[in-house]
Amino acid sequence: MEQQIIRLGDYLEFSKRIRTHVSESKAQIQRLECVLRAYKSDYYSEKNATYAFMGNLTALSHVIIEEDVIKNFFVNLAFENFEIATYHALLTLADLCGDRTAQQALKLSLNEEKSMATFVEEKIDPTIRTYIAKRKNEEQPLH
């Protein structure tokens, strides 16, 4: 996500929200590490699976869309929903274990992911419209 911020110069609202979400994600990693350590689970195997998934999504988006900003919206929305599903599953497991501490941490992370997913979903339409308008003004062909 941090790399996206560099390429979002003309999309300040999205750039600002990504910066906030990077901070949220770092806090989520710390919370998740604590939960997984309590169960002697390996955070890094989970992290590697997540990065592999993101890599596949990104590669697919490169095939479909050439414009980075639009592509980032698609990948971000897909990934946020992947994370939401993951947190739902982890919450179920925490509930089955009766682990209220884990549930509290996971619910906070889930709410942050839902907030980001909602933001991205709400901004897809206006961002595409802004992109098209800018391209028309620049008289550059659309991809």
Side-chain angles (χ1 to χ4, degrees):
M1 281 190 181
E2 291 174 354
Q3 290 299 317
Q4 289 181 32
I5 295 169
I6 296 167
R7 294 185 294 259
L8 291 172
D10 293 338
Y11 301 87
L12 297 177
E13 186 178 12
F14 189 43
S15 177
K16 182 179 176 182
R17 185 61 179 99
I18 291 284
R19 283 187 213 298
T20 300
H21 197 59
V22 166
S23 296
E24 291 172 346
S25 294
K26 289 177 182 177
Q28 289 173 17
I29 289 168
Q30 291 176 343
R31 289 191 294 266
L32 189 55
E33 284 176 334
C34 289
V35 169
L36 293 174
R37 264 197 309 273
Y39 291 95
K40 296 181 176 46
S41 183
D42 184 7
Y43 164 72
Y44 294 100
S45 64
E46 305 295 331
K47 182 175 157 184
N48 288 338
T50 300
Y51 285 143
F53 176 76
M54 274 303 291
N56 290 336
L57 281 178
T58 303
L60 178 61
S61 73
H62 284 280
V63 171
I64 300 171
I65 308 157
E66 291 183 20
E67 174 55 42
D68 277 346
V69 172
I70 306 303
K71 182 176 20 188
N72 288 337
F73 268 93
F74 288 2
V75 171
N76 285 335
L77 187 57
F79 188 60
E80 297 308 325
N81 282 290
F82 172 78
E83 289 181 310
I84 289 167
T86 301
Y87 280 119
H88 278 293
L90 290 171
L91 276 162
T92 299
L93 293 172
D95 183 51
L96 290 169
C97 293
D99 189 340
R100 301 291 175 228
T101 302
Q103 286 177 319
Q104 210 170 23
L106 294 168
K107 282 180 184 177
L108 178 57
S109 295
L110 174 64
N111 289 336
E112 290 169 348
E113 293 306 325
K114 285 181 174 181
S115 173
M116 184 62 179
T118 299
F119 173 85
V120 173
E121 190 171 345
E122 289 173 352
K123 298 302 177 187
I124 288 174
D125 179 79
T127 300
I128 290 173
R129 291 177 188 281
T130 299
Y131 170 73
I132 296 297
K134 285 181 181 187
R135 297 299 281 210
K136 282 182 180 178
N137 289 338
E138 295 169 359
E139 297 182 346
Q140 293 181 5
L142 300 173
H143 297 288

mmCIF file with all atom_site columns, all heavy atoms in Angstrom, residues 29 32 43-58 79-80 82-83 86-87 90:
data_model
loop_
_atom_site.group_PDB
_atom_site.id
_atom_site.type_symbol
_atom_site.label_atom_id
_atom_site.label_alt_id
_atom_site.label_comp_id
_atom_site.label_asym_id
_atom_site.label_entity_id
_atom_site.label_seq_id
_atom_site.pdbx_PDB_ins_code
_atom_site.Cartn_x
_atom_site.Cartn_y
_atom_site.Cartn_z
_atom_site.occupancy
_atom_site.B_iso_or_equiv
_atom_site.pdbx_formal_charge
_atom_site.auth_seq_id
_atom_site.auth_comp_id
_atom_site.auth_asym_id
_atom_site.auth_atom_id
_atom_site.pdbx_PDB_model_num
ATOM 1   N N   . ILE A 1 29 ? -1.488  -5.975  12.414  1.00 0.00 ? 29 ILE A N   1
ATOM 2   C CA  . ILE A 1 29 ? -0.445  -7.006  12.423  1.00 0.00 ? 29 ILE A CA  1
ATOM 3   C C   . ILE A 1 29 ? -0.002  -7.282  13.854  1.00 0.00 ? 29 ILE A C   1
ATOM 4   O O   . ILE A 1 29 ? 0.140   -8.448  14.252  1.00 0.00 ? 29 ILE A O   1
ATOM 5   C CB  . ILE A 1 29 ? 0.749   -6.587  11.535  1.00 0.00 ? 29 ILE A CB  1
ATOM 6   C CG1 . ILE A 1 29 ? 0.339   -6.646  10.063  1.00 0.00 ? 29 ILE A CG1 1
ATOM 7   C CG2 . ILE A 1 29 ? 1.977   -7.460  11.794  1.00 0.00 ? 29 ILE A CG2 1
ATOM 8   C CD1 . ILE A 1 29 ? 1.335   -5.988  9.106   1.00 0.00 ? 29 ILE A CD1 1
ATOM 9   N N   . LEU A 1 32 ? -2.775  -9.201  15.607  1.00 0.00 ? 32 LEU A N   1
ATOM 10  C CA  . LEU A 1 32 ? -2.845  -10.568 15.095  1.00 0.00 ? 32 LEU A CA  1
ATOM 11  C C   . LEU A 1 32 ? -1.675  -11.406 15.598  1.00 0.00 ? 32 LEU A C   1
ATOM 12  O O   . LEU A 1 32 ? -1.849  -12.573 15.966  1.00 0.00 ? 32 LEU A O   1
ATOM 13  C CB  . LEU A 1 32 ? -2.897  -10.556 13.565  1.00 0.00 ? 32 LEU A CB  1
ATOM 14  C CG  . LEU A 1 32 ? -3.196  -11.880 12.883  1.00 0.00 ? 32 LEU A CG  1
ATOM 15  C CD1 . LEU A 1 32 ? -4.493  -12.502 13.397  1.00 0.00 ? 32 LEU A CD1 1
ATOM 16  C CD2 . LEU A 1 32 ? -3.277  -11.682 11.369  1.00 0.00 ? 32 LEU A CD2 1
ATOM 17  N N   . TYR A 1 43 ? 2.598   -16.731 12.526  1.00 0.00 ? 43 TYR A N   1
ATOM 18  C CA  . TYR A 1 43 ? 2.077   -15.575 11.815  1.00 0.00 ? 43 TYR A CA  1
ATOM 19  C C   . TYR A 1 43 ? 2.636   -15.496 10.396  1.00 0.00 ? 43 TYR A C   1
ATOM 20  O O   . TYR A 1 43 ? 1.948   -15.136 9.462   1.00 0.00 ? 43 TYR A O   1
ATOM 21  C CB  . TYR A 1 43 ? 2.424   -14.295 12.588  1.00 0.00 ? 43 TYR A CB  1
ATOM 22  C CG  . TYR A 1 43 ? 2.283   -13.034 11.785  1.00 0.00 ? 43 TYR A CG  1
ATOM 23  C CD1 . TYR A 1 43 ? 1.035   -12.541 11.453  1.00 0.00 ? 43 TYR A CD1 1
ATOM 24  C CD2 . TYR A 1 43 ? 3.403   -12.351 11.332  1.00 0.00 ? 43 TYR A CD2 1
ATOM 25  C CE1 . TYR A 1 43 ? 0.894   -11.399 10.712  1.00 0.00 ? 43 TYR A CE1 1
ATOM 26  C CE2 . TYR A 1 43 ? 3.270   -11.198 10.587  1.00 0.00 ? 43 TYR A CE2 1
ATOM 27  C CZ  . TYR A 1 43 ? 2.014   -10.726 10.288  1.00 0.00 ? 43 TYR A CZ  1
ATOM 28  O OH  . TYR A 1 43 ? 1.891   -9.592  9.546   1.00 0.00 ? 43 TYR A OH  1
ATOM 29  N N   . TYR A 1 44 ? 3.893   -15.859 10.248  1.00 0.00 ? 44 TYR A N   1
ATOM 30  C CA  . TYR A 1 44 ? 4.546   -15.669 8.954   1.00 0.00 ? 44 TYR A CA  1
ATOM 31  C C   . TYR A 1 44 ? 4.010   -16.585 7.865   1.00 0.00 ? 44 TYR A C   1
ATOM 32  O O   . TYR A 1 44 ? 4.003   -16.223 6.709   1.00 0.00 ? 44 TYR A O   1
ATOM 33  C CB  . TYR A 1 44 ? 6.067   -15.772 9.115   1.00 0.00 ? 44 TYR A CB  1
ATOM 34  C CG  . TYR A 1 44 ? 6.552   -14.622 9.960   1.00 0.00 ? 44 TYR A CG  1
ATOM 35  C CD1 . TYR A 1 44 ? 6.831   -14.789 11.307  1.00 0.00 ? 44 TYR A CD1 1
ATOM 36  C CD2 . TYR A 1 44 ? 6.634   -13.342 9.431   1.00 0.00 ? 44 TYR A CD2 1
ATOM 37  C CE1 . TYR A 1 44 ? 7.222   -13.716 12.091  1.00 0.00 ? 44 TYR A CE1 1
ATOM 38  C CE2 . TYR A 1 44 ? 7.009   -12.263 10.205  1.00 0.00 ? 44 TYR A CE2 1
ATOM 39  C CZ  . TYR A 1 44 ? 7.300   -12.467 11.532  1.00 0.00 ? 44 TYR A CZ  1
ATOM 40  O OH  . TYR A 1 44 ? 7.656   -11.395 12.305  1.00 0.00 ? 44 TYR A OH  1
ATOM 41  N N   . SER A 1 45 ? 3.526   -17.760 8.213   1.00 0.00 ? 45 SER A N   1
ATOM 42  C CA  . SER A 1 45 ? 2.921   -18.605 7.175   1.00 0.00 ? 45 SER A CA  1
ATOM 43  C C   . SER A 1 45 ? 1.605   -17.985 6.713   1.00 0.00 ? 45 SER A C   1
ATOM 44  O O   . SER A 1 45 ? 1.271   -18.033 5.530   1.00 0.00 ? 45 SER A O   1
ATOM 45  C CB  . SER A 1 45 ? 2.702   -20.034 7.684   1.00 0.00 ? 45 SER A CB  1
ATOM 46  O OG  . SER A 1 45 ? 1.773   -20.043 8.747   1.00 0.00 ? 45 SER A OG  1
ATOM 47  N N   . GLU A 1 46 ? 0.871   -17.376 7.619   1.00 0.00 ? 46 GLU A N   1
ATOM 48  C CA  . GLU A 1 46 ? -0.360  -16.667 7.260   1.00 0.00 ? 46 GLU A CA  1
ATOM 49  C C   . GLU A 1 46 ? -0.025  -15.457 6.380   1.00 0.00 ? 46 GLU A C   1
ATOM 50  O O   . GLU A 1 46 ? -0.689  -15.194 5.382   1.00 0.00 ? 46 GLU A O   1
ATOM 51  C CB  . GLU A 1 46 ? -1.102  -16.188 8.516   1.00 0.00 ? 46 GLU A CB  1
ATOM 52  C CG  . GLU A 1 46 ? -1.421  -17.269 9.519   1.00 0.00 ? 46 GLU A CG  1
ATOM 53  C CD  . GLU A 1 46 ? -2.394  -18.295 8.992   1.00 0.00 ? 46 GLU A CD  1
ATOM 54  O OE1 . GLU A 1 46 ? -3.228  -17.940 8.141   1.00 0.00 ? 46 GLU A OE1 1
ATOM 55  O OE2 . GLU A 1 46 ? -2.310  -19.446 9.426   1.00 0.00 ? 46 GLU A OE2 1
ATOM 56  N N   . LYS A 1 47 ? 1.001   -14.742 6.768   1.00 0.00 ? 47 LYS A N   1
ATOM 57  C CA  . LYS A 1 47 ? 1.421   -13.552 6.032   1.00 0.00 ? 47 LYS A CA  1
ATOM 58  C C   . LYS A 1 47 ? 1.862   -13.928 4.614   1.00 0.00 ? 47 LYS A C   1
ATOM 59  O O   . LYS A 1 47 ? 1.498   -13.260 3.651   1.00 0.00 ? 47 LYS A O   1
ATOM 60  C CB  . LYS A 1 47 ? 2.564   -12.886 6.797   1.00 0.00 ? 47 LYS A CB  1
ATOM 61  C CG  . LYS A 1 47 ? 3.077   -11.615 6.201   1.00 0.00 ? 47 LYS A CG  1
ATOM 62  C CD  . LYS A 1 47 ? 4.125   -11.031 7.138   1.00 0.00 ? 47 LYS A CD  1
ATOM 63  C CE  . LYS A 1 47 ? 5.062   -10.112 6.425   1.00 0.00 ? 47 LYS A CE  1
ATOM 64  N NZ  . LYS A 1 47 ? 6.119   -9.625  7.276   1.00 0.00 ? 47 LYS A NZ  1
ATOM 65  N N   . ASN A 1 48 ? 2.618   -15.001 4.481   1.00 0.00 ? 48 ASN A N   1
ATOM 66  C CA  . ASN A 1 48 ? 3.087   -15.426 3.159   1.00 0.00 ? 48 ASN A CA  1
ATOM 67  C C   . ASN A 1 48 ? 1.918   -15.807 2.263   1.00 0.00 ? 48 ASN A C   1
ATOM 68  O O   . ASN A 1 48 ? 1.915   -15.498 1.073   1.00 0.00 ? 48 ASN A O   1
ATOM 69  C CB  . ASN A 1 48 ? 4.065   -16.587 3.284   1.00 0.00 ? 48 ASN A CB  1
ATOM 70  C CG  . ASN A 1 48 ? 5.398   -16.134 3.844   1.00 0.00 ? 48 ASN A CG  1
ATOM 71  O OD1 . ASN A 1 48 ? 5.748   -14.966 3.778   1.00 0.00 ? 48 ASN A OD1 1
ATOM 72  N ND2 . ASN A 1 48 ? 6.137   -17.060 4.431   1.00 0.00 ? 48 ASN A ND2 1
ATOM 73  N N   . ALA A 1 49 ? 0.924   -16.480 2.807   1.00 0.00 ? 49 ALA A N   1
ATOM 74  C CA  . ALA A 1 49 ? -0.253  -16.853 2.016   1.00 0.00 ? 49 ALA A CA  1
ATOM 75  C C   . ALA A 1 49 ? -0.997  -15.594 1.554   1.00 0.00 ? 49 ALA A C   1
ATOM 76  O O   . ALA A 1 49 ? -1.454  -15.507 0.409   1.00 0.00 ? 49 ALA A O   1
ATOM 77  C CB  . ALA A 1 49 ? -1.181  -17.748 2.828   1.00 0.00 ? 49 ALA A CB  1
ATOM 78  N N   . THR A 1 50 ? -1.083  -14.615 2.429   1.00 0.00 ? 50 THR A N   1
ATOM 79  C CA  . THR A 1 50 ? -1.760  -13.362 2.090   1.00 0.00 ? 50 THR A CA  1
ATOM 80  C C   . THR A 1 50 ? -1.008  -12.628 0.986   1.00 0.00 ? 50 THR A C   1
ATOM 81  O O   . THR A 1 50 ? -1.616  -12.144 0.027   1.00 0.00 ? 50 THR A O   1
ATOM 82  C CB  . THR A 1 50 ? -1.880  -12.467 3.342   1.00 0.00 ? 50 THR A CB  1
ATOM 83  O OG1 . THR A 1 50 ? -2.634  -13.168 4.326   1.00 0.00 ? 50 THR A OG1 1
ATOM 84  C CG2 . THR A 1 50 ? -2.568  -11.152 3.022   1.00 0.00 ? 50 THR A CG2 1
ATOM 85  N N   . TYR A 1 51 ? 0.308   -12.547 1.107   1.00 0.00 ? 51 TYR A N   1
ATOM 86  C CA  . TYR A 1 51 ? 1.094   -11.863 0.074   1.00 0.00 ? 51 TYR A CA  1
ATOM 87  C C   . TYR A 1 51 ? 0.998   -12.585 -1.267  1.00 0.00 ? 51 TYR A C   1
ATOM 88  O O   . TYR A 1 51 ? 0.957   -11.950 -2.318  1.00 0.00 ? 51 TYR A O   1
ATOM 89  C CB  . TYR A 1 51 ? 2.549   -11.714 0.499   1.00 0.00 ? 51 TYR A CB  1
ATOM 90  C CG  . TYR A 1 51 ? 2.763   -10.639 1.531   1.00 0.00 ? 51 TYR A CG  1
ATOM 91  C CD1 . TYR A 1 51 ? 3.692   -10.798 2.546   1.00 0.00 ? 51 TYR A CD1 1
ATOM 92  C CD2 . TYR A 1 51 ? 2.037   -9.456  1.494   1.00 0.00 ? 51 TYR A CD2 1
ATOM 93  C CE1 . TYR A 1 51 ? 3.890   -9.809  3.498   1.00 0.00 ? 51 TYR A CE1 1
ATOM 94  C CE2 . TYR A 1 51 ? 2.223   -8.473  2.436   1.00 0.00 ? 51 TYR A CE2 1
ATOM 95  C CZ  . TYR A 1 51 ? 3.160   -8.651  3.438   1.00 0.00 ? 51 TYR A CZ  1
ATOM 96  O OH  . TYR A 1 51 ? 3.344   -7.667  4.367   1.00 0.00 ? 51 TYR A OH  1
ATOM 97  N N   . ALA A 1 52 ? 0.968   -13.907 -1.254  1.00 0.00 ? 52 ALA A N   1
ATOM 98  C CA  . ALA A 1 52 ? 0.827   -14.666 -2.503  1.00 0.00 ? 52 ALA A CA  1
ATOM 99  C C   . ALA A 1 52 ? -0.517  -14.343 -3.152  1.00 0.00 ? 52 ALA A C   1
ATOM 100 O O   . ALA A 1 52 ? -0.604  -14.140 -4.364  1.00 0.00 ? 52 ALA A O   1
ATOM 101 C CB  . ALA A 1 52 ? 0.953   -16.163 -2.227  1.00 0.00 ? 52 ALA A CB  1
ATOM 102 N N   . PHE A 1 53 ? -1.567  -14.277 -2.335  1.00 0.00 ? 53 PHE A N   1
ATOM 103 C CA  . PHE A 1 53 ? -2.897  -13.936 -2.836  1.00 0.00 ? 53 PHE A CA  1
ATOM 104 C C   . PHE A 1 53 ? -2.894  -12.535 -3.457  1.00 0.00 ? 53 PHE A C   1
ATOM 105 O O   . PHE A 1 53 ? -3.397  -12.329 -4.556  1.00 0.00 ? 53 PHE A O   1
ATOM 106 C CB  . PHE A 1 53 ? -3.907  -14.020 -1.689  1.00 0.00 ? 53 PHE A CB  1
ATOM 107 C CG  . PHE A 1 53 ? -5.300  -13.596 -2.070  1.00 0.00 ? 53 PHE A CG  1
ATOM 108 C CD1 . PHE A 1 53 ? -6.117  -14.425 -2.821  1.00 0.00 ? 53 PHE A CD1 1
ATOM 109 C CD2 . PHE A 1 53 ? -5.799  -12.363 -1.668  1.00 0.00 ? 53 PHE A CD2 1
ATOM 110 C CE1 . PHE A 1 53 ? -7.405  -14.033 -3.170  1.00 0.00 ? 53 PHE A CE1 1
ATOM 111 C CE2 . PHE A 1 53 ? -7.085  -11.963 -2.006  1.00 0.00 ? 53 PHE A CE2 1
ATOM 112 C CZ  . PHE A 1 53 ? -7.880  -12.804 -2.759  1.00 0.00 ? 53 PHE A CZ  1
ATOM 113 N N   . MET A 1 54 ? -2.295  -11.569 -2.752  1.00 0.00 ? 54 MET A N   1
ATOM 114 C CA  . MET A 1 54 ? -2.236  -10.198 -3.261  1.00 0.00 ? 54 MET A CA  1
ATOM 115 C C   . MET A 1 54 ? -1.441  -10.134 -4.562  1.00 0.00 ? 54 MET A C   1
ATOM 116 O O   . MET A 1 54 ? -1.813  -9.409  -5.481  1.00 0.00 ? 54 MET A O   1
ATOM 117 C CB  . MET A 1 54 ? -1.590  -9.276  -2.220  1.00 0.00 ? 54 MET A CB  1
ATOM 118 C CG  . MET A 1 54 ? -2.569  -8.735  -1.214  1.00 0.00 ? 54 MET A CG  1
ATOM 119 S SD  . MET A 1 54 ? -3.925  -7.845  -1.962  1.00 0.00 ? 54 MET A SD  1
ATOM 120 C CE  . MET A 1 54 ? -3.103  -6.400  -2.572  1.00 0.00 ? 54 MET A CE  1
ATOM 121 N N   . GLY A 1 55 ? -0.355  -10.880 -4.635  1.00 0.00 ? 55 GLY A N   1
ATOM 122 C CA  . GLY A 1 55 ? 0.447   -10.905 -5.860  1.00 0.00 ? 55 GLY A CA  1
ATOM 123 C C   . GLY A 1 55 ? -0.362  -11.391 -7.040  1.00 0.00 ? 55 GLY A C   1
ATOM 124 O O   . GLY A 1 55 ? -0.282  -10.835 -8.141  1.00 0.00 ? 55 GLY A O   1
ATOM 125 N N   . ASN A 1 56 ? -1.168  -12.425 -6.820  1.00 0.00 ? 56 ASN A N   1
ATOM 126 C CA  . ASN A 1 56 ? -2.014  -12.953 -7.893  1.00 0.00 ? 56 ASN A CA  1
ATOM 127 C C   . ASN A 1 56 ? -3.064  -11.933 -8.323  1.00 0.00 ? 56 ASN A C   1
ATOM 128 O O   . ASN A 1 56 ? -3.332  -11.766 -9.514  1.00 0.00 ? 56 ASN A O   1
ATOM 129 C CB  . ASN A 1 56 ? -2.686  -14.255 -7.465  1.00 0.00 ? 56 ASN A CB  1
ATOM 130 C CG  . ASN A 1 56 ? -1.699  -15.389 -7.359  1.00 0.00 ? 56 ASN A CG  1
ATOM 131 O OD1 . ASN A 1 56 ? -0.645  -15.370 -7.982  1.00 0.00 ? 56 ASN A OD1 1
ATOM 132 N ND2 . ASN A 1 56 ? -2.025  -16.374 -6.549  1.00 0.00 ? 56 ASN A ND2 1
ATOM 133 N N   . LEU A 1 57 ? -3.670  -11.256 -7.354  1.00 0.00 ? 57 LEU A N   1
ATOM 134 C CA  . LEU A 1 57 ? -4.664  -10.228 -7.682  1.00 0.00 ? 57 LEU A CA  1
ATOM 135 C C   . LEU A 1 57 ? -4.031  -9.091  -8.471  1.00 0.00 ? 57 LEU A C   1
ATOM 136 O O   . LEU A 1 57 ? -4.603  -8.603  -9.449  1.00 0.00 ? 57 LEU A O   1
ATOM 137 C CB  . LEU A 1 57 ? -5.291  -9.659  -6.405  1.00 0.00 ? 57 LEU A CB  1
ATOM 138 C CG  . LEU A 1 57 ? -6.370  -10.470 -5.740  1.00 0.00 ? 57 LEU A CG  1
ATOM 139 C CD1 . LEU A 1 57 ? -6.819  -9.770  -4.462  1.00 0.00 ? 57 LEU A CD1 1
ATOM 140 C CD2 . LEU A 1 57 ? -7.549  -10.673 -6.656  1.00 0.00 ? 57 LEU A CD2 1
ATOM 141 N N   . THR A 1 58 ? -2.870  -8.667  -8.040  1.00 0.00 ? 58 THR A N   1
ATOM 142 C CA  . THR A 1 58 ? -2.190  -7.571  -8.716  1.00 0.00 ? 58 THR A CA  1
ATOM 143 C C   . THR A 1 58 ? -1.824  -7.952  -10.143 1.00 0.00 ? 58 THR A C   1
ATOM 144 O O   . THR A 1 58 ? -2.015  -7.177  -11.080 1.00 0.00 ? 58 THR A O   1
ATOM 145 C CB  . THR A 1 58 ? -0.934  -7.152  -7.932  1.00 0.00 ? 58 THR A CB  1
ATOM 146 O OG1 . THR A 1 58 ? -1.340  -6.796  -6.602  1.00 0.00 ? 58 THR A OG1 1
ATOM 147 C CG2 . THR A 1 58 ? -0.243  -5.971  -8.568  1.00 0.00 ? 58 THR A CG2 1
ATOM 148 N N   . PHE A 1 79 ? -8.902  -7.098  -1.898  1.00 0.00 ? 79 PHE A N   1
ATOM 149 C CA  . PHE A 1 79 ? -8.102  -7.473  -0.736  1.00 0.00 ? 79 PHE A CA  1
ATOM 150 C C   . PHE A 1 79 ? -8.809  -7.126  0.571   1.00 0.00 ? 79 PHE A C   1
ATOM 151 O O   . PHE A 1 79 ? -8.755  -7.904  1.528   1.00 0.00 ? 79 PHE A O   1
ATOM 152 C CB  . PHE A 1 79 ? -6.727  -6.813  -0.797  1.00 0.00 ? 79 PHE A CB  1
ATOM 153 C CG  . PHE A 1 79 ? -5.795  -7.323  0.268   1.00 0.00 ? 79 PHE A CG  1
ATOM 154 C CD1 . PHE A 1 79 ? -5.461  -8.661  0.328   1.00 0.00 ? 79 PHE A CD1 1
ATOM 155 C CD2 . PHE A 1 79 ? -5.265  -6.467  1.207   1.00 0.00 ? 79 PHE A CD2 1
ATOM 156 C CE1 . PHE A 1 79 ? -4.611  -9.144  1.312   1.00 0.00 ? 79 PHE A CE1 1
ATOM 157 C CE2 . PHE A 1 79 ? -4.410  -6.930  2.191   1.00 0.00 ? 79 PHE A CE2 1
ATOM 158 C CZ  . PHE A 1 79 ? -4.087  -8.268  2.244   1.00 0.00 ? 79 PHE A CZ  1
ATOM 159 N N   . GLU A 1 80 ? -9.466  -5.978  0.626   1.00 0.00 ? 80 GLU A N   1
ATOM 160 C CA  . GLU A 1 80 ? -10.198 -5.622  1.856   1.00 0.00 ? 80 GLU A CA  1
ATOM 161 C C   . GLU A 1 80 ? -11.272 -6.668  2.150   1.00 0.00 ? 80 GLU A C   1
ATOM 162 O O   . GLU A 1 80 ? -11.450 -7.077  3.290   1.00 0.00 ? 80 GLU A O   1
ATOM 163 C CB  . GLU A 1 80 ? -10.823 -4.230  1.746   1.00 0.00 ? 80 GLU A CB  1
ATOM 164 C CG  . GLU A 1 80 ? -9.834  -3.091  1.595   1.00 0.00 ? 80 GLU A CG  1
ATOM 165 C CD  . GLU A 1 80 ? -8.731  -3.060  2.633   1.00 0.00 ? 80 GLU A CD  1
ATOM 166 O OE1 . GLU A 1 80 ? -8.975  -3.425  3.803   1.00 0.00 ? 80 GLU A OE1 1
ATOM 167 O OE2 . GLU A 1 80 ? -7.604  -2.671  2.272   1.00 0.00 ? 80 GLU A OE2 1
ATOM 168 N N   . PHE A 1 82 ? -11.207 -9.800  1.188   1.00 0.00 ? 82 PHE A N   1
ATOM 169 C CA  . PHE A 1 82 ? -10.479 -11.002 1.604   1.00 0.00 ? 82 PHE A CA  1
ATOM 170 C C   . PHE A 1 82 ? -10.147 -10.902 3.090   1.00 0.00 ? 82 PHE A C   1
ATOM 171 O O   . PHE A 1 82 ? -10.340 -11.859 3.853   1.00 0.00 ? 82 PHE A O   1
ATOM 172 C CB  . PHE A 1 82 ? -9.206  -11.152 0.762   1.00 0.00 ? 82 PHE A CB  1
ATOM 173 C CG  . PHE A 1 82 ? -8.293  -12.238 1.235   1.00 0.00 ? 82 PHE A CG  1
ATOM 174 C CD1 . PHE A 1 82 ? -8.555  -13.573 0.959   1.00 0.00 ? 82 PHE A CD1 1
ATOM 175 C CD2 . PHE A 1 82 ? -7.143  -11.931 1.947   1.00 0.00 ? 82 PHE A CD2 1
ATOM 176 C CE1 . PHE A 1 82 ? -7.711  -14.584 1.392   1.00 0.00 ? 82 PHE A CE1 1
ATOM 177 C CE2 . PHE A 1 82 ? -6.291  -12.926 2.390   1.00 0.00 ? 82 PHE A CE2 1
ATOM 178 C CZ  . PHE A 1 82 ? -6.571  -14.254 2.110   1.00 0.00 ? 82 PHE A CZ  1
ATOM 179 N N   . GLU A 1 83 ? -9.649  -9.740  3.517   1.00 0.00 ? 83 GLU A N   1
ATOM 180 C CA  . GLU A 1 83 ? -9.309  -9.555  4.929   1.00 0.00 ? 83 GLU A CA  1
ATOM 181 C C   . GLU A 1 83 ? -10.556 -9.613  5.813   1.00 0.00 ? 83 GLU A C   1
ATOM 182 O O   . GLU A 1 83 ? -10.522 -10.175 6.909   1.00 0.00 ? 83 GLU A O   1
ATOM 183 C CB  . GLU A 1 83 ? -8.579  -8.229  5.130   1.00 0.00 ? 83 GLU A CB  1
ATOM 184 C CG  . GLU A 1 83 ? -7.172  -8.246  4.570   1.00 0.00 ? 83 GLU A CG  1
ATOM 185 C CD  . GLU A 1 83 ? -6.449  -6.938  4.787   1.00 0.00 ? 83 GLU A CD  1
ATOM 186 O OE1 . GLU A 1 83 ? -7.015  -5.869  4.472   1.00 0.00 ? 83 GLU A OE1 1
ATOM 187 O OE2 . GLU A 1 83 ? -5.310  -6.990  5.263   1.00 0.00 ? 83 GLU A OE2 1
ATOM 188 N N   . THR A 1 86 ? -11.433 -13.164 6.273   1.00 0.00 ? 86 THR A N   1
ATOM 189 C CA  . THR A 1 86 ? -10.451 -13.785 7.168   1.00 0.00 ? 86 THR A CA  1
ATOM 190 C C   . THR A 1 86 ? -10.746 -13.432 8.619   1.00 0.00 ? 86 THR A C   1
ATOM 191 O O   . THR A 1 86 ? -10.722 -14.305 9.500   1.00 0.00 ? 86 THR A O   1
ATOM 192 C CB  . THR A 1 86 ? -9.025  -13.344 6.780   1.00 0.00 ? 86 THR A CB  1
ATOM 193 O OG1 . THR A 1 86 ? -8.778  -13.739 5.434   1.00 0.00 ? 86 THR A OG1 1
ATOM 194 C CG2 . THR A 1 86 ? -7.993  -13.968 7.698   1.00 0.00 ? 86 THR A CG2 1
ATOM 195 N N   . TYR A 1 87 ? -11.027 -12.161 8.882   1.00 0.00 ? 87 TYR A N   1
ATOM 196 C CA  . TYR A 1 87 ? -11.333 -11.760 10.265  1.00 0.00 ? 87 TYR A CA  1
ATOM 197 C C   . TYR A 1 87 ? -12.624 -12.407 10.766  1.00 0.00 ? 87 TYR A C   1
ATOM 198 O O   . TYR A 1 87 ? -12.727 -12.777 11.934  1.00 0.00 ? 87 TYR A O   1
ATOM 199 C CB  . TYR A 1 87 ? -11.384 -10.234 10.405  1.00 0.00 ? 87 TYR A CB  1
ATOM 200 C CG  . TYR A 1 87 ? -9.995  -9.632  10.508  1.00 0.00 ? 87 TYR A CG  1
ATOM 201 C CD1 . TYR A 1 87 ? -9.532  -8.729  9.555   1.00 0.00 ? 87 TYR A CD1 1
ATOM 202 C CD2 . TYR A 1 87 ? -9.128  -9.986  11.542  1.00 0.00 ? 87 TYR A CD2 1
ATOM 203 C CE1 . TYR A 1 87 ? -8.262  -8.196  9.634   1.00 0.00 ? 87 TYR A CE1 1
ATOM 204 C CE2 . TYR A 1 87 ? -7.854  -9.459  11.629  1.00 0.00 ? 87 TYR A CE2 1
ATOM 205 C CZ  . TYR A 1 87 ? -7.427  -8.566  10.669  1.00 0.00 ? 87 TYR A CZ  1
ATOM 206 O OH  . TYR A 1 87 ? -6.161  -8.047  10.758  1.00 0.00 ? 87 TYR A OH  1
ATOM 207 N N   . LEU A 1 90 ? -11.564 -15.864 11.769  1.00 0.00 ? 90 LEU A N   1
ATOM 208 C CA  . LEU A 1 90 ? -10.785 -15.828 13.011  1.00 0.00 ? 90 LEU A CA  1
ATOM 209 C C   . LEU A 1 90 ? -11.675 -15.522 14.213  1.00 0.00 ? 90 LEU A C   1
ATOM 210 O O   . LEU A 1 90 ? -11.470 -16.075 15.305  1.00 0.00 ? 90 LEU A O   1
ATOM 211 C CB  . LEU A 1 90 ? -9.662  -14.791 12.901  1.00 0.00 ? 90 LEU A CB  1
ATOM 212 C CG  . LEU A 1 90 ? -8.530  -15.151 11.937  1.00 0.00 ? 90 LEU A CG  1
ATOM 213 C CD1 . LEU A 1 90 ? -7.587  -13.955 11.747  1.00 0.00 ? 90 LEU A CD1 1
ATOM 214 C CD2 . LEU A 1 90 ? -7.766  -16.377 12.419  1.00 0.00 ? 90 LEU A CD2 1
#
